[in-house]
Amino acid sequence: MPAQPHPAEPDAPLAVVGLSCRFPGADSPAAFWRLLLDGADTVGPPPAWRAEGRSEGGYLDGVDLFDAELFGVPPQEAAAMDPQQRLLLELAWEALEDARTAPDALAGTSTGVFVGAGGDDYAHLTRTRGTADIGVYTMTGTGRAFLANRISYTLGLRGPSMVVDTGQSSSLTALHQAAAGLRRGECVLALVGGVQLNLSAESEEAVRQLGALSPSGRCRTFDAAADGIVRGEGGGMAVLKPLDAALADGDRVYCVLRGSAVNSDGRGESLTAPDAGAQRQVLAEACRRAGVAPTEVAYVELHGTGTRLGDPVEAAALDAVHGQGRPAGRPLLVGSVKTNIGHLEAAAGMAAFVKTALSVHHGLIPPSLHLRTPNPAVDPARLRVCQDVTPWPAHPEGRRTAGISSFGLGGTNCHVVVDRVPGTVDPAADEPGPPPVACWVLSGASEAALRGQAARLAGLLEASAPPGPADAAFSLATTRAVLRHRAAVVGDGPEALRDGLRALATGEPREGVLQGAAGRGGTAFLFPGQGMQRAGMGRRLHETYPVFARAFDEAAEAMETPLGTRLHTLMWEREDWLDELRYAQPALFAMETALYRLLESWGLVPDLVLGHSQGEIAAAHVAGVLSLEDAAAFVVERGRLIASLPPGGAMTALRATEEEARAVLADICGQVAIAAVNSPRSVVISGDREAVDEVCAHFARLGRRGRRLRISRAGHSPLMEPVRDELLAFAGSLTWKPPTGPTVVSTLTGHPATGTDLVTPAYWAEHLCRAVRFGDAVRTAHDRGARFFVEAGPGHGLITMVGETVDGGDETLVAPLAEPDERAGVASLAGHAHLHGLRLDAHAVHGAHARRTDLPTYAFQRRRHWLDAPTGPARTPSPAPPPGTPAAPPRRRVTPATVSALVADGLRGVLGAPQDSPVETSLAFTDLGLDSRMVMALRTRLAERTGLRLPPTLLFDFPTPDLLSRELAERLRSQRPLVDLTERPS
């Protein structure tokens, strides 16, 4: 997130860190750069649906299309919005992504928005349709100020938000204003854009009447045959920030804005005639502010309209400022993007700026087109039009200094000086390498957008030089907005990631691909007890993650003396320890605490912790009740005492309720008890082997076979009583402290542990001998809001029991170490956290080496929104039917079972959405695009349709379609008779 703004030096350099564009023939900076290098001319006939009264020009396809869903704009409002607003919203999103900044990360920051614009064609089209088409969204949809204000509102930006109109120099002047705002400390980041859409024949006729249009249909800048402009349309956006901040943040910098200047022609020959003296002044002033000599400027992107009057004036001004005193054989290179895409009028300066920024960045100057015979006013010894792709002229300091000019028809002139940025520093060589398994996280405003993102990323991996998996994973986590529909793809290399992305794009299930909508609720960690241990556990994590290794080593060291062996050797070089209590329990403790510290370093910290049997010691330790040394000593002593008991006990898991098990135990002779109640249908019995076998035989006759646990002692049964006092005495020697970390839900009581429970030695003696009430503890955690459950140890036994205990449909259950490859398991956990909505420390997850890299921008899902689209309820009632017309069929009866469809249909109606469009019933009405007027309209519709008296606050009290449907269904059940209504106009 950008830092707080503060004033900078008056001419402090500014970095251009992000670009986006939609120009004729190019929908991205990369496509635009290819177009420029290819010397493409995109001037051509207009699209058929808006061809009337139009000449050839540079046109965009799909100006009627917009991804309203991404920006939370209801269809009615989208249709009323100037397509220039819609285009700028998409350009702002793409520019921020190109700047490697998540668009949703800037809310509340002093980010400024500066837009150059001059056309109001959509407002004109709206007015010509008459007052019947002027509605509640007309003012905000067509007012020019909202071109900038809409971006600030949508992204939650608090910096300056303004539209600049100086005619054809508008967008470059907006850049000048943005630079001033950054240097004055009014904003810390600036979005600067320009837009021009030529939507009405009338605006073209006005240009024609002015005499500015080229009869030949081509812009021939600085050619003797130049005869006027060719209109173009499109938009561009740049992201600016102070250079020192950009370098500190490790941003990719396209170029550096050194200085700029704006002036006016004053009273020249006429209002629209250019003035050479004013142009000389603005060129010289921009160089002065940039701190460069005019002869150091190697290239100027011309205003270059290709007019008989304008070209000689511009050439004379350039020659006077930049041509004098140049070294022999080093003429000023010039060119004009208008020869490629036409004159974008208010957006022309931004088109020129994007071209020049890309040129400085790549070190090549693209050709200017349509030059056959140079204008006699141009001295080729001092000014030379680039007609071929030209390497940037060499400079002893590696500089690439360029100027960009943009002159308004009414006399406002702007000139900007840019240069190259110093190189970046390579990553430190001693940083640890990337994790061998990467987790790529994606999101979209819709499932279709999510699939589109997956397809784009799969294509990225098929490119000639794809980014490293860890860099891409880091960038996806840090430079992309987190939207409702989410997915994660886990893979151990580019091929596995590509295959997973392809499967996600086509909707095919595949291992390593996770998908779901955003979740809600707290996090609970579950620490398993004995029985989940396995050979080699933790070894791969120890090799891969330094945080895990450090925490494991510390726990192992704390237990080495009382244990009499080194855990590393025991766990990873032997297998005879698995069923030995004195070794298994310390091994599990070291494993669980190390995993906890790893996840904690990622920023995944639980709200609640639960421990099954011995696992509660690990839970108490991470909650701050016991130090590592005391917890380790307690685990070792507890295991030693249990192992000292004579063999002969047994523990068996049964599919039975607690009541069923107690009824059977009442008839059994011998020492046997319920050791654990894990879920409503799962218990563990423990005691004398013969008695346990007798209980198992009873349930076997009912078709329920038991599962004998790999434990040679009967834990949590009366057979533990002989060591109770010794354990109590040992616990009394430890230092117990009130918990300071996550809340511990006691599996002894099934409730949150009190301040005195965990610090009382008697609690832990009872803990050994009494039943584990894990199921009760899970229900308590769920009641307290836990929805993201993580088994913080090997296996998946506890997660399985959670699934049997709570099933509200909104839980995420993750057992990261249940997978054969533990590294893939923890990578999947990062993916599940993304799906649930938990933000992790991306550097901790993906490695300190990971760097931001370029990724495909958002896969917009555009639909048509135009003035001829339906805009909502009819304004006048339908006329009465002629006499003799058959009566309309009665409307379907509204019942509790059909109320969900009624709410969805009503929602589509007030939004003006197609009746077959999907409705996200779990989203808030505000997130679905309803404003206060629509909320009241929907409430009125529902009241009429159901016959219920509904309060005005209904949709605020029940703010999602799901909640509202349930409330209406309940009201319908309690009120009879139901009311049948005849069909009304919708």
Side-chain angles (χ1 to χ4, degrees), residues 494-519:
E495 184 175 345
L497 290 165
R498 182 201 62 207
D499 292 347
L501 289 164
R502 286 293 180 205
L504 177 60
T506 56
E508 300 173 10
R510 184 181 179 87
E511 185 177 355
V513 176
L514 313 173
Q515 188 174 353

Side-chain angles (χ1 to χ4, degrees), residues 811-876:
E811 299 86 10
T812 299
L813 313 180
V814 191
L817 304 191
E819 300 193 24
D821 186 345
E822 296 171 338
R823 300 169 303 184
V826 294
S828 294
L829 173 58
H832 282 291
H834 164 71
L835 265 60
H836 190 72
L838 301 173
R839 294 276 188 149
L840 305 184
D841 183 327
H843 261 134
V845 175
H846 304 293
H849 68 288
R851 296 291 182 268
R852 291 179 295 163
T853 188
D854 286 333
L855 298 171
T857 53
Y858 188 77
F860 295 115
Q861 302 300 301
R862 300 183 178 101
R863 297 181 62 175
R864 189 170 193 270
H865 300 278
W866 204 253
L867 289 171
D868 54 11
T871 56
R875 296 177 178 274
T876 57

